[in-house]
């Protein structure tokens, strides 16, 4: 299948994307960036903000496929964007070669108030999501992430994105 282009050769968001972003803004729902490249994410976020999208989540910026730097994550956070810290992206065979400590350092660098903890578990080669989240939380606690920050990343931030 041909990939869908969201950004033109000039780096600007495609007209079709602008239309979709308008629908997202009107419905006040979450825009998730998926597996876009960092320059595309930046262009999409810029266009989304320009049309009034309020809730934006950058999916697993640490995934090798995306490789968003801490500096870029901080830039996104400064623009009101939430970042998903996904443990499977850095620990699963074939997906990552890092460990919980590496992800904890990135969370601390960006700030818990800008992060949503996610597992991406549930695939056949990973534990069930509830068990995986429990393990992920244990990893973060062992790495020195305060329990209050974990509550922010697992309850407060997702609730805010969902409008609860």
């Amino acid at each position: 299948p041909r990939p869908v282009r969201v950004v033109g050769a000039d780096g600007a968001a495609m007209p079709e994307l602008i239309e979709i972003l308008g629908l997202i803004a009107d419905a006040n729902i979450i825009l998730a960036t998926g597996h876009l490249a960092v320059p595309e994410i930046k262009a999409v976020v810029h266009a989304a903000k320009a049309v009034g999208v309020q809730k934006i989540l950058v999916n697993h910026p640490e995934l090798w496929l995306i490789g968003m730097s801490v500096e870029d994550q901080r830039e996104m956070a400064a623009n009101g964007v939430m970042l998903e810290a996904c443990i499977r992206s850095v620990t699963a065979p074939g997906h990552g070669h890092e460990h919980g400590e590496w992800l904890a350092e990135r969370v601390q660098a960006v700030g818990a108030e800008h992060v949503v903890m996610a597992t991406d578990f549930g695939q056949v080669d990973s534990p069930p999501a509830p068990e995986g989240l429990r393990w992920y939380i244990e990893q973060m606690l062992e790495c020195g992430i305060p329990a209050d920050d974990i509550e922010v990343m697992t309850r407060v931030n997702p609730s805010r994105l969902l409008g609860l």
Side-chain angles (χ1 to χ4, degrees):
R2 275 188 23 222
V4 174
R5 297 194 56 80
V6 295
V7 177
D10 62 354
M14 300 291 281
E16 300 87 349
L17 175 63
I18 300 296
E19 181 180 346
I20 293 167
L21 293 174
L23 295 171
I24 291 170
D26 290 346
N28 195 29
I29 58 176
I30 303 165
L31 167 67
T33 60
H35 292 174
L36 297 175
V38 174
E40 292 171 317
I41 291 170
K42 289 182 174 188
V44 168
V45 166
H46 177 76
K49 289 290 189 174
V51 299
V53 175
Q54 298 295 313
K55 302 172 184 180
I56 303 172
L57 178 67
V58 173
N59 298 109
H60 36 60
E62 67 287 329
L63 181 67
W64 64 270
L65 185 64
I66 298 166
M68 184 178 276
S69 70
V70 170
E71 293 76 23
D72 285 337
Q73 289 184 46
R74 285 181 176 155
E75 177 187 329
M76 294 286 107
N79 285 314
V81 173
M82 286 286 180
L83 299 134
E84 178 186 67
C86 183
I87 193 70
R88 187 173 196 275
S89 297
V90 298
T91 60
H95 290 281
H97 58 278
E98 302 297 343
H99 44 81
E101 187 175 280
W102 183 84
L103 190 55
E105 290 169 2
R106 293 176 77 86
V107 165
Q108 289 171 323
V110 174
E113 66 275 16
H114 306 291
V115 175
V116 172
M117 284 175 63
T119 67
D120 229 4
F121 287 154
Q123 292 82 0
V124 295
D125 65 342
S126 64
E131 290 174 29
L133 183 58
R134 196 171 3 276
W135 173 78
Y136 184 13
I137 290 170
E138 288 171 4
Q139 293 289 304
M140 295 298 99
L141 288 169
E142 288 175 13
C143 292
I145 302 291
D148 288 346
D149 285 356
I150 290 172
E151 182 175 0
V152 166
M153 296 183 290
T154 58
R155 188 181 66 78
V156 175
N157 292 343
S159 294
R160 196 168 71 220
L161 277 174
L162 294 169
L164 301 176

